[in-house]
Amino acid sequence: MELRSILADLDRWLAEHAPGDYRQLMPPADPARVAALAAGAFRVHEDVLVWLSTHDGSKRDPVPAAGAFVPSDFPLLGVSGMTQGLADMVDDVERAVADGEEEFIVGLEAHELWLPVARNHTGGELIVDHRPGGDHGAVLEVDPSIGVDGVKRWDSMSHMFGSILGALQNASMLVTGSGVKTAPRIEDPGDALPHVVWDLYFG
């Protein structure tokens, strides 16, 4: 299914079942800011452009923890977050090269062609790989705090959103970057809007 259709279906599902998350979705990003996202360093993948033309990220509302409907616990970034995330990637690569630690960092924890598209509260990131080759456009997870170094989670953002939509519709499991199974449920705190929570299943 085409990404715009997937996102439209996801919006409708969230609006009906998880209005706390739906409320956190931002309006479309400014096209001029999107065009300047990578500052000419590389051509931004079409899926990223479609996402930003639909929503300029998903804010995180800490009370309750709505807006993090991507497993596990990832609010999606908009143009500002992606721009800063890419700048941080480039800085990390330059620092690693200067310190002689390139083999431990580049392509594992950072790369100048990795564009962060989501970030969780522990600093873990989902990134879209813009390196040439068979994994161009793939969504990778990077979280050095739990030993997840550039693990491929989805073939593309289209694949990611389609998988999430299917899991939400069917209450089915997905697998995190660390190999842990996770399944969605709707948490209704009573004093706030219902939102998606991903429970982890170990073993």
Side-chain angles (χ1 to χ4, degrees), residues 16-17 29 39 42 46 49 84 93-94 97 128 136 147 164 173-174 187 189 198:
E16 179 178 356
H17 301 282
F42 55 84
E46 181 65 22
L49 301 180
Q84 184 59 56
V93 168
E94 290 177 349
V97 172
V128 172
H136 178 77
I164 292 167
M173 287 190 176
L174 295 176
E187 183 166 289
W198 291 87

Side-chain angles (χ1 to χ4, degrees), residues 98-198:
D99 293 344
E101 297 181 347
E102 183 174 358
E103 65 178 303
F104 305 110
I105 301 297
V106 180
L108 297 173
E109 297 182 7
H111 198 284
E112 63 269 20
L113 296 179
W114 282 0
L115 180 65
V117 296
R119 183 178 299 112
N120 66 18
H121 66 285
T122 65
E125 293 183 315
L126 298 178
I127 63 99
V128 172
D129 192 351
H130 284 78
R131 292 174 298 180
D135 283 337
H136 178 77
V139 178
L140 314 181
E141 183 172 345
V142 178
D143 191 345
S145 70
I146 57 173
V148 176
D149 293 333
V151 174
K152 181 178 175 179
R153 289 194 60 183
W154 292 281
D155 293 334
S156 62
M157 286 189 80
S158 294
H159 183 205
M160 179 185 81
F161 282 117
S163 296
I164 292 167
L165 177 61
L168 293 174
Q169 291 172 329
N170 302 304
S172 55
M173 287 190 176
L174 295 176
V175 179
T176 69
S178 60
V180 177
K181 292 180 179 179
T182 184
R185 64 178 170 83
I186 300 299
E187 183 166 289
D188 188 350
D191 57 347
L193 293 173
H195 61 279
V196 175
V197 172
W198 291 87

Side-chain angles (χ1 to χ4, degrees), residues 3 6 10 12 22 25 32 48 51 74 86 106 116 119 126 134 145 149 151 155 161 177 183 198 200-201:
L3 180 53
I6 294 172
L10 179 60
R12 284 190 287 270
Y22 181 73
L25 291 169
V48 178
W51 162 248
F74 281 102
L86 181 58
V106 180
R119 183 178 299 112
L126 298 178
S145 70
D149 293 333
V151 174
D155 293 334
F161 282 117
W198 291 87
L200 299 176
Y201 294 87

Side-chain angles (χ1 to χ4, degrees), residues 21-39:
D21 293 308
Y22 181 73
R23 182 179 64 177
Q24 301 308 112
L25 291 169
M26 301 297 289
D30 176 8
R33 296 188 66 213
V34 175
L37 174 57

